[in-house]
Each structure stands twice: as C-alpha cells, then as structure tokens.
C-alpha cells in the first residue's frame, strides 16, 4: 500500500499551532505529515506543543521552518525555500493552511 | 463515473467559494465532502447558508476541538449538522484518502 505524503504550509501566525495539530491528525491516520512555518517568528513552544511535535516525529513526520529563530527556540528543522521546493515534489498533497 | 471532491476549509471568509464550488461540482454529478476546521468552523454558526450546504453536499463535518476552541459550546450542534458530524481531523484524512480531488480554502 502506498501511503500519502502531506505537507502543510503555515504562513499565518494565528494558524500555525492549529495547523501542526492538523498535521498530527493526519499522521495518526497513517499518512506522512509535515509542516513548514514560513516567514514568521512564532513564540517558543510550550510543553504540550513540544509533545505534539514529538508525537508527530514518532510517526515519521516533521516540522520545518525557513526562519532560524524558530529553529533555535523551538527545535524545528531548518529548511530553505529551495529545499522546500524540492521536498514539495515528493508530496501527494500540499495544504496552504489558513491563508488570510 | 462522476468524480469526487473534498474541500478543506480553514478560512472563515471563503464560505461563498465553498458554496459556489459545491454547487458547481454537484451540478456536474460529483460527490462532495466539506470539512471545516479552526476559524473555518465560524461558518457553521455565522453563515445563513450553512444548513443549505449541509443539504447540498454529500457530507459536511466540522472539527469539534476547533469549534470549542473558537468559543462555541461543544454541545451546541449547528443547524443542518448531525451530532456525529462534529468530528476529528480523521475527517480531513478521509478526504485526502478517499476523494479524487482536493481543494484547501
């Protein structure tokens, strides 16, 4: 069976944490789920939020960011726009989460 | 065979597009499922046409956790929706897994 690969893209600060929760929901449904925090620096994650990301990683998902401050504060994996472009080619679905 | 379309809604300002796309897809014989999450759940309480969408689409569900976090009483089921359709992100998974076409609004 071929599993779906889904990448969420978060460009709106107000939607980022819920979008990560949504990615976790898909991972629970047996999909490879990834999130990318684009452009914005978001507040450091609290314990529950860190736990959600650890659960996502346990299911072979990941949260990336193009912003170094998010990498430093919250342990997201660093990714450049070019690397993201390459990664998106592997995906079966790309979800722009919360465009406003 | 008619195609199927899943619509994932996070933006509360896009309801008119949800209705328009659903009408067009149904007119072409497509099966349509709509799932509202996070601030998209406001549509269930604030859009007068939400009950009409529930009748028009084959399946409409909302994320119960998001609905609660947006300030609504979890037991206050929006008009047009069955209580069992107040559900989890598994509904989003079902759209991605089981539907031919997918759109995020």
């Amino acid at each position: 069976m071929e599993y779906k690969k889904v990448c969420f893209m978060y460009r709106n600060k107000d939607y980022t944490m819920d979008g990560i929760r949504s990615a976790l929901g898909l991972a629970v449904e047996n999909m490879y789920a990834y999130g990318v925090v684009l452009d914005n620096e978001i507040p450091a994650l609290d314990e529950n939020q860190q736990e959600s990301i650890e659960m996502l990683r346990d299911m072979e998902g990941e949260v990336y960011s193009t912003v170094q401050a998010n990498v430093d504060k919250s342990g997201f994996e660093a990714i450049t726009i070019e690397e993201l472009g390459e990664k998106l080619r592997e995906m079966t679905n790309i979800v722009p989460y919360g465009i406003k | 065979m008619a195609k199927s379309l899943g619509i994932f809604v996070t933006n509360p300002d896009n309801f008119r597009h949800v209705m328009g796309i659903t009408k067009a897809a149904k007119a072409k014989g497509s099966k349509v499922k709509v799932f509202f999450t996070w601030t998209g759940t406001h549509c269930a309480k604030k859009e007068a046409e939400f009950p009409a969408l529930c009748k028009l689409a084959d399946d409409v569900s909302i994320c119960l956790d998001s609905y609660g976090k947006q300030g609504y009483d979890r037991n206050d089921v929006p008009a047009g929706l069955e209580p069992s359709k107040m559900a989890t992100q598994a509904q989003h998974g079902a759209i991605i897994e089981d539907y031919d076409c997918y759109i995020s609004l």
Side-chain angles (χ1 to χ4, degrees):
Chain A
M1 181 179 174
E2 193 172 318
Y3 293 100
K4 301 277 186 180
K5 285 186 166 183
V6 182
C7 187
F8 288 79
M9 300 173 74
Y10 316 119
R11 204 164 175 227
N12 185 325
K13 282 185 193 181
D14 297 338
Y15 287 77
T16 300
M17 283 321 303
D18 192 70
I20 291 172
R21 186 181 66 87
S22 195
L24 180 59
L26 292 190
V28 170
E29 290 297 304
N30 267 346
M31 293 176 208
Y32 291 100
Y34 310 94
V36 185
V37 183
L38 293 157
D39 299 341
N40 291 303
E41 181 177 343
I42 62 169
L45 302 183
D46 65 26
E47 199 174 318
N48 286 338
Q49 291 164 339
Q50 285 285 6
E51 202 171 294
S52 293
I53 289 174
E54 284 309 314
M55 285 171 67
L56 183 63
R57 287 178 176 141
D58 286 345
M59 291 180 281
E60 300 183 44
E62 188 54 87
V63 180
Y64 301 89
S65 183
T66 58
V67 179
Q68 188 60 38
N70 294 328
V71 174
D72 296 339
K73 282 195 299 189
S74 301
F76 296 151
E77 283 288 313
I79 195 167
T80 64
I81 286 290
E82 291 75 18
E83 289 166 341
L84 176 58
E86 285 299 317
K87 189 165 185 63
L88 292 181
R89 294 168 195 268
E90 303 165 14
M91 299 294 135
T92 53
N93 294 74
I94 298 165
V95 184
Y97 195 97
I99 291 177
K100 288 274 282 182
Chain B
M1 190 178 77
K3 281 198 171 241
S4 56
L5 169 67
I7 307 175
F8 179 59
V9 187
T10 58
N11 185 333
D13 302 333
N14 280 340
F15 188 77
R16 69 190 189 285
H17 299 307
V18 176
M19 279 302 285
I21 292 167
T22 302
K23 281 178 185 170
K26 290 301 295 178
K28 290 286 186 184
S30 178
K31 179 183 173 188
V32 180
K33 175 181 174 73
V34 189
F35 178 58
F36 293 88
T37 191
W38 200 229
T39 57
T41 57
H42 286 305
C43 295
K45 293 297 283 183
K46 294 186 174 171
E47 293 291 345
E49 280 198 285
F50 184 79
L53 175 72
C54 294
K55 279 188 180 170
L56 179 65
D58 298 274
D59 191 356
V60 175
S61 56
I62 69 173
C63 174
L64 177 59
D65 189 52
S66 295
Y67 185 70
K69 284 179 177 165
Q70 293 302 323
Y72 299 110
D73 178 349
R74 289 164 179 252
N75 297 310
D76 178 17
V77 180
L81 212 59
E82 294 293 321
S84 63
K85 298 297 181 183
M86 310 274 283
T88 69
Q89 293 291 328
Q91 298 295 309
H92 186 204
I95 284 175
I96 291 175
E97 204 65 67
D98 302 333
Y99 283 65
D100 299 318
C101 302
Y102 172 96
I103 187 168
S104 174
L105 290 172

